[in-house]
Amino acid sequence: MRLIDGKAISEQVKQEIAKEVAEMVGRGEKRPHLAAILVGHDGGSETYVAAKVKACEACGFKSSLIRYEADVTEEELLARVRELNEDEEVDGFIVQLPLPKHISEQKVIETIDYRKDVDGFHPINVGRMAIGLPCYISATPNGILELLKRYEIETSGKKCVVLGRSNIVGKPMASLMMRKAYPGDATVTVCHSRSCDLVKECQEADILIAAMGQPGFVKAEMVKEGAVVIDVGTTRVPDATRKSGFKLTGDVKFDEVAPKCSYITPVPGGVGPMTIVSLMKNALLAGKKAIYK
Ligand code: GUN
C-alpha cells in the first residue's frame, strides 16, 4: 500500500507556482490577484478561506478578502460580484459556499463572469468541461486528477466508481474520469443515495472515489484488493480530546481499508490540500489570461 501524500504534493505545486509568478513579475507582468468573498462566520468556511489567503501568499499572489455579515442582502452581494467582474485589477474571484439560506447560490454563481470564475462553478465552465473545451475546472476534482498524475496511476480502461453526485465533486469527477485523456479514459459509474447495488459496484472498482460526506461509509468489505481509494470526505466529527473540538473525518474507514489498497489518500493530508492548490493553479491561469482573454 502506498499513501498518497497530498500535503507534500501541494507544497511542491505551490513552489512551482511561486517560481512562475516570480518570473512573471520579473518580466514586468502583473502579479496575479485573487479575491474571495466570505459571508457570515461558518467555522469550515472561515478555515478554508484563511487557508486560501495563506496559499496566495505562498504562491506570490495578491489576495483580497471581502467580508459580509450573514444578514447581507442578496442584491448587495450580487452588486459586489458585478463590481468584481468589472474590476480589471482582479484576475479571478470566488464566493465561498455555503451561503445563508436567503441568498440563492445559483444566482450568485451565474452572476460571476465565467472568465473570472476560478472555482469553475459557472454553467459555462461546467459545460465547457463536459465537452472537453478549455475552462476552469473545479478545484477538488482537479486536485484529484493532479494526484493521480503525480503518482502515475493508470486510469485508462479502469473501472472507476464515484460515490456522490454533488455539483462540486461527484458530477465533475465522473465527467473528468471518462474524458479522452490522461487521467481519464475510465469506465465510470456514479453511485448515490438511491443506488441499489452500491456495495457490489464498489467491490468491482479499480479506482474508488468517495465523496458523499458520510464519515466512515466505505468499509474493507466494499473494496477490491489492490484498488486505488480516494477519500474526499471532510466531515467535522465532535472530538472532546482535541483543542478544536472536532476531528476531520473522511468517508473511508482508513485503518481497515488501507491494507487492501494499492494507493490511498489519508484524511487530513490527502485531497484537502490539493483542493486549495488547484484553486491557485486556476488563479495563475486567470492572471496569465491563459484560458479566456
Ligand atoms: N465550499 C466548499 N468547497 C468550496 C469551493 O471549492 N469553493 C467555494 N467557493 N466554496 C466552497
Side-chain angles (χ1 to χ4, degrees):
M1 185 275 292
R2 241 186 114 186
L3 196 66
I4 297 180
D5 189 345
K7 181 95 180 63
I9 302 288
S10 73
E11 291 303 328
Q12 208 175 311
V13 177
K14 273 188 277 187
Q15 282 178 18
E16 290 165 11
I17 296 172
K19 184 167 174 278
E20 193 167 342
V21 170
E23 286 165 5
M24 285 166 68
V25 173
R27 288 193 297 267
E29 294 168 24
K30 180 180 169 298
R31 189 179 289 282
H33 181 181
L34 174 69
I37 299 182
L38 175 58
V39 179
H41 298 275
D42 172 78
S45 295
E46 291 270 3
T47 308
Y48 291 132
V49 170
K52 289 170 186 178
V53 169
K54 198 168 154 227
C56 279
E57 275 168 37
C59 293
F61 296 159
K62 182 174 175 191
S63 70
S64 302
L65 175 56
I66 300 156
R67 302 194 70 129
Y68 287 100
E69 289 304 320
D71 62 358
V72 64
T73 64
E74 183 180 271
E75 200 36 60
E76 204 178 335
L77 186 61
L78 292 176
R80 194 71 179 89
V81 167
R82 290 188 196 104
E83 263 177 45
L84 289 171
N85 285 343
E86 298 301 322
D87 187 344
E88 287 188 7
E89 228 298 297
V90 173
D91 298 297
F93 66 97
I94 65 156
V95 179
Q96 186 66 26
L97 306 179
L99 292 170
K101 295 227 168 357
H102 66 280
I103 299 173
S104 160
E105 289 186 352
Q106 200 52 36
K107 210 173 203 176
V108 171
I109 289 169
E110 290 187 40
T111 302
I112 298 172
D113 186 326
Y114 69 93
R115 293 165 298 189
K116 292 194 176 186
D117 168 41
V118 284
D119 259 331
F121 292 168
H122 191 286
I124 292 182
N125 281 311
V126 176
R128 290 178 65 93
M129 182 207 60
I131 57 173
L133 293 176
C135 63
Y136 293 115
I137 296 174
S138 62
T140 303
N142 215 14
I144 293 169
L145 293 186
E146 191 67 34
L147 288 176
L148 294 171
K149 217 187 294 177
R150 300 236 174 188
Y151 280 83
E152 298 177 352
I153 293 169
E154 189 54 73
T155 60
S156 178
K158 301 292 179 193
K159 183 166 166 61
C160 174
V161 172
V162 179
L163 298 178
R165 54 178 161 180
S166 70
N167 289 342
I168 294 183
V169 186
K171 278 184 214 150
M173 195 71 241
S175 176
L176 291 162
M177 289 302 285
M178 73 170 91
R179 70 187 177 159
K180 248 188 170 123
Y182 174 76
D185 282 322
T187 304
V188 181
T189 303
V190 179
C191 294
H192 47 76
S193 53
R194 295 288 181 272
S195 296
C196 288
D197 258 334
L198 185 144
V199 171
K200 185 168 157 280
E201 294 291 350
C202 291
Q203 285 167 341
E204 289 170 3
D206 301 305
I207 302 169
L208 182 60
I209 303 176
M212 78 285 254
Q214 286 191 42
F217 182 88
V218 177
K219 296 159 193 75
E221 67 266 21
M222 293 164 69
V223 176
K224 185 162 93 171
E225 203 65 50
V228 176
V229 174
I230 307 291
D231 189 350
V232 188
T234 50
T235 308
R236 292 179 158 199
V237 174
D239 183 345
T241 68
R242 294 181 185 238
K243 211 171 85 192
S244 63
F246 66 84
K247 180 174 186 261
L248 214 56
T249 308
D251 287 349
V252 177
K253 279 209 160 135
F254 184 89
D255 292 345
E256 59 176 71
V257 170
K260 296 184 81 175
C261 299
S262 56
Y263 293 89
I264 186 167
T265 61
V267 175
V271 174
M274 290 306 293
T275 295
I276 297 192
V277 295
S278 297
L279 174 67
M280 299 299 123
K281 284 180 86 170
N282 280 349
L284 178 62
L285 291 171
K288 294 197 291 188
K289 304 267 183 289
I291 295 177
Y292 305 114
K293 295 293 162 233

